[in-house]
Every structure is written in structure tokens, then in C-alpha cells.
Amino acid sequence: MHLKHSDRPHGPPEVTVTFVLEDPEGLTGSTDPTRTLKGGTGESLLELAMEHGINIEHACGGVCACSTCHVYIDEGADSLSEATEAEEDRVEEAPGLQRNSRLSCQCVIEGKGPIRLRVPAWNRNAVKEVPH
Ligand code: FES
């Protein structure tokens, strides 16, 4: 499904967001396990990732109706929008649930960062297999 882009205005890309990819090849086609990007306030982590070729699974198109965009926020959680009750209910269905689990489509950059998150290796396998 295509990512539904938010109509929120995005601030200038000045918030440092580091993505740590447990399966970089599956997500980006490259072996580099770390990507440091600049995001803007109002932008979701899923939007930022997809804009830079990090293909986090997002079966519902980013509308909080699945749990395939599950990530772990290792740093900078207070620079992100708080989880809504709908997100909390949804993320509980995700495999590998941890205290720092979030749905990347629901994490909107609000603060100055820096933000560091981990994309689990099984993320891409939740719905589809990447062709070999
Ligand atoms: S893409 Fe479905 S909940 Fe985030």
C-alpha cells in the first residue's frame, strides 16, 4: 500500500534522526546498518524513512491500522509525539513488543532530537517477502 502523506506542514530538516537497521539489505538494498538523516517537525518517522529509501513495511499506508511499521525508539522519545490510545492498542499486536516499541507512522517529530531508533530485522517480513 502507498504511504498516505500527512498534510501537516513540515518544519525545516534540522532534527537528527539515526536509523539503526537490523537488516539493512532487506530495508535499503545496502549493507550500511546505520543511516543518519535530518527530519523536520511535523514529519513522521515512517515518512522520513521512506523519503530516504528505507523501506519500512507499512501495510495500512500509515493510518494506525496495522502494526507492521513497528520500531524501537532508543533515544529521543521525548522529541516525538506521544502515543495515542489507538497506537498503544495497535502496537500491542506487534511481534517483539518492548517498552520502547512505537509505530513509526504515528511518531511525529515535535522536538529538537536527536532521535535514534532501531528497525527490527523481521519488519519487512511481516507482510511480504523481498524478492531475491
Ligand atoms: S503503517 Fe500501519 S500502523 Fe503504521
Side-chain angles (χ1 to χ4, degrees):
M1 173 165 303
H2 287 295
L3 177 61
K4 185 183 173 302
H5 271 267
S6 69
D7 39 23
R8 291 180 297 269
H10 293 177
E14 55 193 19
V15 180
T16 301
V17 184
T18 302
F19 289 79
V20 178
L21 312 174
E22 290 185 357
D23 178 8
E25 279 197 85
L27 287 161
T28 65
S30 133
T31 53
D32 188 355
T34 309
R35 289 277 192 97
T36 300
L37 307 175
K38 293 282 185 188
T41 53
E43 192 167 25
S44 75
L45 296 181
L46 179 64
E47 287 174 311
L48 179 65
M50 297 299 290
E51 274 164 24
H52 293 85
I54 303 173
N55 296 306
I56 295 177
E57 186 56 68
H58 54 281
C60 75
V63 295
C64 198
C66 69
S67 59
T68 57
C69 66
H70 179 198
V71 295
Y72 302 119
I73 308 298
D74 286 334
E75 202 185 313
D78 54 356
S79 288
L80 296 167
S81 58
E82 272 186 40
T84 61
E85 221 167 286
E87 181 189 343
E88 283 174 2
D89 287 350
R90 197 53 82 176
V91 83
E92 281 174 15
E93 298 167 8
L97 183 68
Q98 293 183 4
R99 289 175 76 89
N100 58 348
S101 288
R102 292 289 309 262
L103 297 178
S104 56
C105 71
Q106 301 301 304
C107 292
V108 176
I109 299 170
E110 289 185 342
K112 293 189 179 340
I115 296 163
R116 187 177 177 93
L117 66 139
R118 227 161 359 108
V119 186
W122 37 258
N123 173 288
R124 70 187 170 94
N125 293 325
V127 170
K128 65 166 192 280
E129 288 292 328
V130 174
H132 293 283

